[in-house]
């Protein structure tokens, strides 16, 4: 397998819901492993130790629940960027992923000529969507 860069999202008790939500919007294959699957017993056994969503568009998102004894800061300093020229899919992703969240910039044509928008989803993850216009598609 070639090297690949994949966002790894941290949650506090909502990894399953978040990854299932992303799966519902983006499609693909979702695998989830709990701490219990790895032999952990007790209150955190049902939480997600590792989840991975691989979509038909070859997006890969990974995530897990942060154990109680570890520091957790929602949102942090990262945004996930979806970029391309598939207008229909990217608009659908924007609408679906932003549902229940906070749209900070609705999808609209920007000064650079592409359609662009930003939001924070209902799990605190920040997203950016850039839809390349026909003259910018070679750069997407």
């Amino acid at each position: 397998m070639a090297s690949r860069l994949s966002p790894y999202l941290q949650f506090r008790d909502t990894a399953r819901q978040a990854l299932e939500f992303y799966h519902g919007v983006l499609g693909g294959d979702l695998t989830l492993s709990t701490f219990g699957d790895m032999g952990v017993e007790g209150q955190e056994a049902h939480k997600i130790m590792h989840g991975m969503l691989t979509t038909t568009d070859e997006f890969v998102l990974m995530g897990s629940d942060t154990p109680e004894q570890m520091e957790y800061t929602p949102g942090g300093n990262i945004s996930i960027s979806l970029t391309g020229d598939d207008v229909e899919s990217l608009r659908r992703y924007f609408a679906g992923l932003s549902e229940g969240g906070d749209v900070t910039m609705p999808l609209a044509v920007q000064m650079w000529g592409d359609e662009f928008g930003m939001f924070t989803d209902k799990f605190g993850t920040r997203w950016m969507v850039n839809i390349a216009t026909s003259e910018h598609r070679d750069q997407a």
Side-chain angles (χ1 to χ4, degrees):
M1 173 196 339
S3 297
R4 114 175 69 173
L5 180 67
S6 304
Y8 202 104
L9 306 174
Q10 299 294 315
F11 301 93
R12 178 74 83 197
D13 304 333
T14 59
R16 178 180 301 278
Q17 295 93 327
L19 291 167
E20 287 175 349
F21 173 71
Y22 301 147
H23 178 240
V25 175
L26 300 171
D29 295 315
L30 176 62
T31 58
L32 299 171
S33 300
T34 66
F35 285 95
D37 294 335
M38 302 300 154
V40 174
E41 297 178 359
Q43 291 182 311
E44 295 194 335
H46 71 283
K47 294 180 183 179
I48 301 301
M49 181 178 220
H50 178 72
M52 184 166 145
L53 172 62
T54 305
T55 74
T56 55
D57 290 323
E58 298 184 23
F59 303 152
V60 176
L61 273 178
M62 292 185 268
S64 65
D65 284 313
T66 304
E68 292 298 323
Q69 68 273 20
M70 293 177 67
E71 184 178 336
Y72 171 69
T73 306
N77 63 351
I78 266 195
S79 295
I80 298 174
S81 176
L82 293 174
T83 303
D85 59 8
D86 185 337
V87 175
E88 183 179 317
S89 292
L90 289 165
R91 284 183 181 159
R92 186 176 71 251
Y93 298 153
F94 186 95
L97 292 167
S98 65
E99 188 175 319
D102 179 32
V103 175
T104 53
M105 179 183 287
L107 275 176
V109 175
Q110 302 298 322
M111 67 177 112
W112 59 89
D114 291 350
E115 195 172 337
F116 178 82
M118 298 187 303
F119 60 91
T120 301
D121 72 24
K122 62 186 174 184
F123 298 100
T125 301
R126 293 180 298 197
W127 294 79
M128 300 181 295
V129 176
N130 191 87
I131 304 170
T133 63
S134 59
E135 64 187 56
H136 295 105
R137 288 184 186 191
D138 293 336
Q139 299 169 15

